[in-house]
Each structure stands twice: as C-alpha cells, then as structure tokens.
Amino acid sequence: ICLILCSALVNGQQPLRKNIPGTKCTMEIKEGFVAAKRFNGFENLKGGAAVIVSVLQSPIEKNKSAFSQEEMKRLGMTFVSNSEPDLGGLKTSLFEMTQMNKGVKFRKYILIFGDTAKTVMINCGAPDSNSRLCEEVKAMALSVKYEPLVEEDLEAGVDFIVDAKSQGFMPAKYSLGGLVYTRDGKTQTESDDNASFLVGPSIKKVK
C-alpha cells in the first residue's frame, strides 16, 4: 500500500506538458500557470509572471543579432548572461536580462531557435524579487520540445469559432489572443486580392 501511495504522489507531481498553439512545440506547465487569453502562451496571474511564445517569419541568425548588449541597453534592459542550451538535440540560444516596468524590476529569459525561414521565440518574465517564480518561468522555457509530427493548430489557442472556410479564408497567424485569416493561410498572403482579416477578443466589455 505504501508503495502504491508513494507512486501516486510522485506521479501527481509530474508537470503537465501542453502543445503551444500555432507551433510544433510542447512545454511543461508549472502549477499556477494557465493559458493566456491576450497572447500565445501561459501566465501566472497571482505572481505576475508570463511565458509568451511568438513565431517570427524570419531567419534565426537575423533574430539572434537583435540581442546584442548594445541593443538591450537601448531598449532599457540590463544584460545578465547568454548561453546556447542543447535541448535534446534542439539548438537554442538563451538570453537573460533585467528590466524595470512601472517601478518593478523584472527578470526576463528569452529562448530562441529556428532555421533559415522561421524563428520561435519564448519570452519569459517574473518579478525579480520572486526567485522561485523566476526559476519556474526559466524552467518552462527550457522544457520546450520540438515535435515535428505535431500539427500546428492555430485555432487551438482561441476560445471562439469563426466559419471562415466557407468564405474562402484560412487561419494564418495567431496574434494577441486572436487569429489572422488569409486566402492561402500564409502570413504574407500571395492571393490575388491580398485579402485578410483579424478576429480577436474585445479589450473592453461590449454592451
């Protein structure tokens, strides 16, 4: 009986792994974090921490160059360190920095990886005074796995349904809690009419 109970306790402590909408990535989610409604990622509302995931349609090398110490200083951030973790064969770059926001010092971790066409950026942050939470967001970023067989389900990241297909549109990009639709499903659409539209949650209560 003891062995069964101990096993259950250990299994219960295993972190939950979830797909990141719009990507072929999965991530371990720490207790207290929930799917964010205003951006692609997860947030701890009580602790003021966030893990934001972005997919950039540009080469990884170009985006890595944007994290020079000079550029960080220009943006009001203080460089702390950088490294290149190998996450199970996934080559990444991890940048650590601090930044003031409304009088509060935040510690940020930015993990990036990709190829010559696309970059995945995981931007994490938590109040610097909460060392446990800072370590948790960093651990979430470093838990990322690239799953080539996972479908990039953009619509999984929103809580609404739009019948865009009947009008000849496809989801192309997850943005700020909403979806961008184009004719061909490409962010930079190549359709003849260049038509696109964005559907997202209202920032104010609609009466």
Side-chain angles (χ1 to χ4, degrees), residues 23-36:
T23 75
K24 292 181 177 292
C25 299
T26 62
M27 176 184 291
E28 291 182 354
I29 311 305
K30 297 292 187 179
E31 184 178 353
F33 283 81
V34 297

Side-chain angles (χ1 to χ4, degrees), residues 26-58:
T26 62
M27 176 184 291
E28 291 182 354
I29 311 305
K30 297 292 187 179
E31 184 178 353
F33 283 81
V34 297
K37 295 183 178 180
R38 299 296 180 182
F39 56 83
N40 193 16
F42 307 92
E43 59 186 342
N44 183 313
L45 297 172
K46 184 177 180 180
V51 178
I52 305 171
V53 182
S54 305
V55 179
L56 310 176
Q57 304 299 322
S58 53

Side-chain angles (χ1 to χ4, degrees), residues 41-203:
F42 307 92
E43 59 186 342
N44 183 313
L45 297 172
K46 184 177 180 180
V51 178
I52 305 171
V53 182
S54 305
V55 179
L56 310 176
Q57 304 299 322
S58 53
I60 179 65
E61 292 302 323
K62 177 182 178 181
N63 291 301
K64 282 174 65 175
S65 64
F67 291 97
S68 65
Q69 294 189 41
E70 294 75 15
E71 182 65 13
M72 289 186 188
K73 184 177 181 180
R74 187 183 71 81
L75 295 174
M77 295 183 284
T78 301
F79 173 84
V80 176
S81 67
N82 71 283
S83 58
E84 296 187 348
D86 185 327
L87 305 180
L90 181 65
K91 305 295 184 180
T92 71
S93 295
L94 177 67
F95 301 90
E96 180 179 351
M97 64 216 69
T98 59
Q99 185 175 30
M100 298 298 296
N101 183 16
K102 297 181 179 179
V104 178
K105 183 179 180 181
F106 279 80
R107 186 161 298 268
K108 302 179 68 175
Y109 304 91
I110 298 179
L111 184 82
I112 62 172
F113 57 90
D115 52 31
T116 57
K118 184 183 296 184
T119 300
V120 177
M121 179 184 299
I122 302 176
N123 189 340
C124 313
D128 189 58
S129 59
N130 192 331
S131 58
R132 179 188 60 80
L133 204 52
C134 289
E135 287 301 316
E136 286 188 349
V137 296
K138 180 181 180 181
M140 286 176 64
L142 292 175
S143 75
V144 69
K145 287 185 178 180
Y146 181 73
E147 310 278 4
L149 299 181
V150 170
E151 182 180 354
E152 294 185 16
D153 188 359
L154 295 170
E155 294 176 308
V158 299
D159 57 2
F160 56 79
I161 298 176
V162 176
D163 183 19
K165 187 176 181 180
S166 65
Q167 302 302 314
F169 286 88
M170 301 167 60
K173 180 182 179 182
Y174 184 98
S175 178
L176 299 176
L179 289 173
V180 176
Y181 292 84
T182 61
R183 297 284 189 191
D184 51 14
K186 297 180 180 178
T187 304
Q188 300 295 329
T189 181
E190 298 174 357
S191 64
D192 292 337
D193 58 5
N194 289 319
S196 66
F197 67 92
L198 168 67
V199 179
S202 173
I203 59 175

